[in-house]
Amino acid sequence: MNFGRCSTQQICLLSWRENWTRDQVQLFNQTIVDEYVTSADQSDLLDGLENFHISGDSNTMFSCQLRLFRSWYKAWSPQDKQTFLRTLAAMDPPFLQFLQDRNIDLQL
């Protein structure tokens, strides 16, 4: 069962997110929302993440974290993905507003 592993992965992502720049957070948030809204194929999410405009060396910490996110996200269930969105929304009121502006109801 991946529940324990998924929870640990999500905790890591939330911790990393606290140290990202505002632009990095916004790019990450938009990619998550795009996936949630379109219910696109997982490869579409990965393409979106690969198209981030990350300045500097491709081996930056942020780049590594995104690669880990991509590999983890593929293994998450729809419920795991929903839980992650709800957690982000509860921790970050601007993210909740970001979701509401896009008419996304997480039924919090």
Side-chain angles (χ1 to χ4, degrees), residues 14-30:
L14 294 172
S15 174
W16 297 340
R17 190 175 179 272
E18 290 178 11
N19 294 304
W20 288 344
T21 67
R22 183 179 175 164
D23 289 343
Q24 290 168 332
V25 168
Q26 289 174 343
L27 287 170
F28 185 75
N29 290 352
Q30 185 59 52

Side-chain angles (χ1 to χ4, degrees), residues 2-75:
N2 285 340
F3 178 74
R5 179 179 296 161
C6 179
S7 295
T8 300
Q9 292 166 348
Q10 290 183 7
I11 289 167
C12 286
L13 284 165
L14 294 172
S15 174
W16 297 340
R17 190 175 179 272
E18 290 178 11
N19 294 304
W20 288 344
T21 67
R22 183 179 175 164
D23 289 343
Q24 290 168 332
V25 168
Q26 289 174 343
L27 287 170
F28 185 75
N29 290 352
Q30 185 59 52
T31 300
I32 292 171
V33 167
D34 290 346
E35 174 64 16
Y36 180 82
V37 169
T38 61
S39 297
D41 185 281
Q42 288 182 351
S43 63
D44 291 341
L45 172 70
L46 301 182
D47 291 341
L49 287 169
E50 289 172 349
N51 289 326
F52 276 168
H53 299 290
I54 303 169
S55 61
D57 184 27
S58 63
N59 292 321
T60 65
M61 184 65 73
F62 182 64
S63 297
C64 292
Q65 291 166 340
L66 287 178
R67 281 193 297 275
L68 281 172
F69 171 74
R70 289 191 302 248
S71 68
W72 295 342
Y73 190 88
K74 290 188 291 186

